[in-house]
Amino acid sequence: MVRKAIVTGGTGVTGNALVKYLLQKGIEVIVLVRPGSFRRSFLPEENGNLSIVECDLEGYGKIGEKLKSGQYDVFFHLAWDGSTGKQKVNNRNHFKLQNRNVSYALDAVELCHELACPVFVMTGSQAAYGRKDHLITEDMEKKPENGYGMAKLCAEGMTRLLCRQYGIRHIWPILFSVYGPCDATESLVDMTVRGLLEGKTLPYTKGEQKWDYLYSYDAARALLLLAQYGQDGEAYHVASGKSLPLANYIRDIYNLVAPDIEPRLGEIPYVPGQVMFLGADITKLRQATGFVPEYTFREGIRAIIESIYAEKR
């Protein structure tokens, strides 16, 4: 039973959904947020079950005493420097930045140990696999092609070993393409929805790439389920288990937001080395937790539209 949790990265798409989902389940949540974060407003107001503590990634080694207030059941580490805004793509090969993220992840484990928290859940990325052309399973060889994927792979191995030394249960959910409200990552879904609501259209490639999109609420459900039922030292794909051409998703968004406008597919050429397949096998997740996505892609887009309207009220 999870009664109290720590969350880092709680202002991101997945982290924000996780915080709200945990609160919905009656779980007390402490969120570590960087001082001055422009995304802090995405979080609910503090209340009896939600505490927001300012702490940057370099501060994990100094915050322990402030957090020692009762037993924590799980530590969710989702924070990753350089993962928002227009610089996100360039940061993929900012090697020193990515190397620091590995160090921050180890600091998060140290903090988890200091707080006597028995479970450490950190999110990995499909980028660690590199290029694949068929359904990706957790036992496939990982051959990352950028610094971000390499750092995630390194963080997975190092945090697992450190958790083993401390007797902490280590769970590694691997995220594929999570979309949802409160996105500030310049993602295709968010930019398309917001652009159409403002009367703007974007150019796209032909959209033949096959992607697996999962709504953030479902991703949050999967993370809590894994914290409860995931096996120590194991990795699990967090995805919908259904991959479709990117053009299908784009057309779904247009049909919901601006059905009279034809998407501008094929106006942008594929980049050299374009990744054409990101499909996940979620058998392992389903067998461990019984997870089945609740939201269709269209339902998730409707929820994003509602959240954008709410922002403007």
Side-chain angles (χ1 to χ4, degrees):
M1 175 97 43
V2 176
R3 296 183 178 87
K4 189 173 184 179
I6 293 181
V7 178
T8 74
T11 60
V13 174
T14 307
N16 184 269
L18 176 62
V19 169
K20 292 174 180 175
Y21 183 68
L22 293 175
L23 292 171
Q24 179 185 322
K25 290 295 182 181
I27 296 169
E28 184 179 349
V29 184
I30 289 80
V31 187
L32 303 188
V33 177
R34 294 182 228 200
S37 171
F38 73 96
R39 296 161 63 91
R40 179 169 176 164
S41 61
F42 293 163
L43 291 168
E45 293 292 327
E46 289 188 273
N47 55 53
N49 265 5
L50 175 64
S51 299
I52 299 174
V53 178
E54 290 193 343
C55 178
D56 56 27
L57 283 84
E58 294 90 348
Y60 292 165
K62 306 171 186 175
I63 197 73
E65 283 299 324
K66 188 174 182 179
L67 298 176
K68 287 182 178 178
S69 56
Q71 176 62 48
Y72 296 93
D73 299 302
V74 58
F75 191 120
F76 291 101
H77 183 52
L78 282 70
W80 193 268
D81 201 11
S83 59
T84 61
K86 294 182 179 180
Q87 296 303 312
K88 177 181 177 180
V89 174
N90 293 336
N91 285 336
R92 291 300 196 227
N93 281 322
H94 187 330
F95 300 116
K96 290 185 178 180
L97 171 68
Q98 299 303 340
N99 192 51
R100 289 197 295 272
N101 277 313
V102 177
S103 181
Y104 299 147
L106 293 170
D107 289 343
V109 175
E110 295 286 359
L111 177 56
C112 182
H113 172 61
E114 183 180 354
L115 298 174
C117 183
V119 183
F120 183 80
V121 179
M122 179 175 172
T123 49
S125 168
Q126 48 76 23
Y129 286 106
R131 194 177 307 274
K132 306 295 181 187
D133 59 7
H134 56 287
L135 202 63
I136 301 171
T137 58
E138 289 88 348
D139 59 357
M140 280 186 177
E141 181 183 12
K142 294 183 174 72
K143 298 178 70 173
E145 297 184 355
N146 58 39
Y148 170 71
M150 293 173 187
K152 282 290 188 179
L153 180 57
C154 184
E156 177 184 4
M158 286 192 172
T159 57
R160 181 175 292 133
L161 286 175
L162 189 56
C163 281
R164 187 175 301 162
Q165 290 178 21
Y166 287 139
I168 297 170
R169 186 156 62 92
H170 181 278
I171 310 295
W172 192 262
I174 300 174
L175 304 182
F176 277 69
S177 299
V178 177
Y179 71 103
C182 305
D183 194 348
T185 63
E186 304 288 320
S187 71
L188 180 143
V189 169
D190 189 67
M191 291 177 66
T192 296
V193 173
R194 289 182 183 275
L196 288 175
L197 290 175
E198 295 170 4
K200 303 172 185 176
T201 61
L202 299 174
Y204 307 96
T205 66
K206 290 181 180 178
E208 299 162 310
Q209 313 96 302
K210 284 194 172 182
W211 250 239
D212 182 324
Y213 274 109
L214 181 69
Y215 185 57
S216 56
Y217 171 89
D218 279 324
R221 286 179 49 240
L223 293 182
L224 179 57
L225 285 168
L226 285 172
Q228 294 169 315
Y229 305 112
Q231 291 187 12
D232 179 31
E234 293 294 329
Y236 299 86
H237 289 165
V238 174
S240 72
K242 181 180 180 181
S243 53
L244 295 170
L246 207 55
N248 290 34
Y249 297 113
I250 293 170
R251 288 194 179 97
D252 274 347
I253 296 172
Y254 272 71
N255 287 337
L256 286 170
V257 184
D260 296 330
I261 299 177
E262 187 66 22
R264 296 161 57 190
L265 294 166
E267 292 191 15
I268 297 178
Y270 293 123
V271 299
Q274 174 73 53
V275 175
M276 298 299 292
F277 185 82
L278 284 176
D281 185 331
I282 64 167
T283 301
K284 189 174 177 181
L285 170 66
R286 188 167 53 245
Q287 289 177 342
T289 67
F291 174 80
V292 176
E294 292 183 0
Y295 278 74
T296 65
F297 183 74
R298 280 173 165 255
E299 288 169 341
I301 296 301
R302 290 191 186 99
I304 291 174
I305 294 168
E306 291 174 5
S307 74
I308 292 173
Y309 284 142
E311 288 174 14
K312 298 177 179 179
R313 288 200 289 267

